[in-house]
Amino acid sequence: MELILANPTGFCFGVTRAIKELENSLDTFGKVYSIGSPIHNPQEVKRLQDKGLVVVRSAEEIPHGSVVFVRAHGEMPEALKIVRQKALLIIDGTCPFVHNAQEKAKFLVDEGYHLFIVGDPEHPEVKAILGAVSNRGTVINDPGVINSYGSINRCGIISQTTQIKDLLGSVVSGLIPFCNEMRVYNTICKATLERQDAIRELASRVDGLIIIGGKNSANTSQLSKIADQQNIPRLWIEDSEELDPEWFSGKNTIGIAAGASTPDWLINKIKLILEHR
Ligand code: F3S
């Protein structure tokens, strides 16, 4: 069986940077708090918890005088306000591309545009962007609902950084008939676009695709959707125990791709197991 690794795949710039800062702070302070998972990969989070990371559900749970890590997806302003009052030190792991999306959202709202955020309304990054503009925006992940908005004078559009560009394109073209003026910032990050292009290219060369990444990871979910769009058999796993032997039947060439929050050690572990099948 031949294995081909997508290129690029795995950790992106923003996650590499966030994990490095988090590990440095764990080495220095021993215990560091994070509201929610610092990145969306349960295996990597477990590794960090073993080093002293404490994941809590809300800012209220953080004890006074602690060291707090702000995750790569950013944090809601209300939570940050509480953290600032309680923390001894805040390590900001927010990806610069997420900061950029927040800044573009603020600019559009300040300039009087009706802000549309193309993304998943439940994702922490989208919630943080919406929070940065005091909820003055509409989150959209289904162009089918556009008809219900009616006419809008000025439309400002940005995207969750990990979205598929086709969805951004569909929302933009769907809104055109309803907007007198439109301003669009493509805030999908380069790392996301490169990983999505890599999986499209790989799909044409293999009999099946294994996608490694957290089931809670937005960008891994998009890779999985792209594989389905290419009509290629795909197996989305978080770890090696999900490698279903039956899935490999009749497949000679297998592609491996991983989400932007999947660590190299996990990719290498699964690759090694597959090499010895
Ligand atoms: Fe940042 Fe893009 Fe990664 S927004 S965290 S570089 S997927």
Side-chain angles (χ1 to χ4, degrees):
M1 188 174 73
E2 190 189 355
L3 298 173
I4 308 176
L5 201 57
N7 183 21
T9 206
F11 269 13
C12 59
F13 154 79
V15 171
T16 303
R17 174 181 171 275
I19 296 295
K20 199 170 156 201
E21 291 192 12
L22 178 51
E23 288 213 273
N24 284 345
S25 46
L26 284 167
D27 288 345
T28 308
F29 299 102
K31 188 187 265 192
V32 177
Y33 286 80
S34 152
I35 307 168
S37 292
I39 61 163
H40 283 156
N41 186 274
Q43 290 70 27
E44 179 68 354
V45 172
K46 165 81 176 60
R47 186 184 73 81
L48 294 163
Q49 284 173 316
D50 291 344
K51 294 187 82 173
L53 172 71
V54 181
V55 179
V56 293
R57 277 172 304 178
S58 69
E60 285 78 10
E61 290 175 52
I62 290 173
H64 281 275
S66 23
V67 178
V68 181
F69 177 77
V70 176
R71 58 193 166 181
H73 296 305
E75 195 48 78
M76 298 280 288
E78 299 82 20
L80 282 177
K81 196 173 164 197
I82 298 171
V83 168
R84 278 191 205 103
Q85 287 161 0
K86 292 173 127 185
L88 174 71
L89 178 67
I90 299 173
I91 315 285
D92 188 1
T94 311
C95 176
F97 296 111
V98 173
H99 269 308
N100 174 54
Q102 293 179 352
E103 290 307 313
K104 292 287 188 297
K106 281 185 207 159
F107 172 79
L108 288 168
V109 169
D110 289 347
E111 290 292 309
Y113 290 88
H114 183 114
L115 175 68
F116 288 94
I117 305 164
V118 180
D120 172 2
E122 297 306 317
H123 194 277
E125 180 196 327
V126 174
K127 288 183 176 176
I129 294 172
L130 202 52
V133 292
S134 307
N135 293 318
R136 289 172 294 165
T138 304
V139 181
I140 176 165
N141 61 3
D142 174 12
V145 304
I146 289 173
N147 281 345
S148 65
Y149 295 150
S151 99
I152 299 165
N153 190 28
R154 305 175 87 200
C155 296
I157 304 167
I158 65 155
S159 174
Q160 183 180 354
T161 56
T162 49
Q163 272 302 318
I164 296 179
K165 60 186 173 188
D166 293 355
L167 179 62
L168 175 61
S170 304
V171 171
V172 170
S173 49
L175 278 169
I176 285 173
F178 299 97
C179 301
N180 293 328
E181 182 192 331
M182 183 179 270
R183 191 153 189 166
V184 183
Y185 288 107
N186 180 0
T187 48
I188 301 173
C189 79
K190 191 166 169 251
T192 293
L193 293 170
E194 285 175 349
R195 278 154 186 74
Q196 292 179 357
D197 286 344
I199 206 166
R200 281 190 194 94
E201 190 274 326
L202 188 56
S204 63
R205 295 196 282 144
V206 295
D207 302 317
L209 267 171
I210 293 176
I211 298 169
I212 311 165
K215 295 285 160 67
N216 55 351
S217 157
N219 71 80
T220 311
S221 162
Q222 305 300 5
L223 295 183
S224 176
K225 277 187 204 157
I226 290 170
D228 291 346
Q229 285 166 0
Q230 310 295 307
N231 285 322
I232 183 92
R234 61 103 182 128
L235 186 63
W236 177 0
I237 59 169
E238 282 194 351
D239 209 339
S240 52
E241 63 272 8
E242 295 162 85
L243 287 168
D244 174 8
E246 278 185 26
W247 183 84
F248 292 89
S249 158
K251 297 181 181 74
N252 298 316
T253 311
I254 301 292
I256 302 174
S261 44
T262 307
D264 279 353
W265 64 262
L266 189 53
I267 301 169
N268 290 337
K269 174 182 147 184
I270 289 165
K271 192 163 161 270
L272 198 63
I273 291 168
L274 291 173
E275 280 167 355
H276 292 86
R277 265 180 61 87

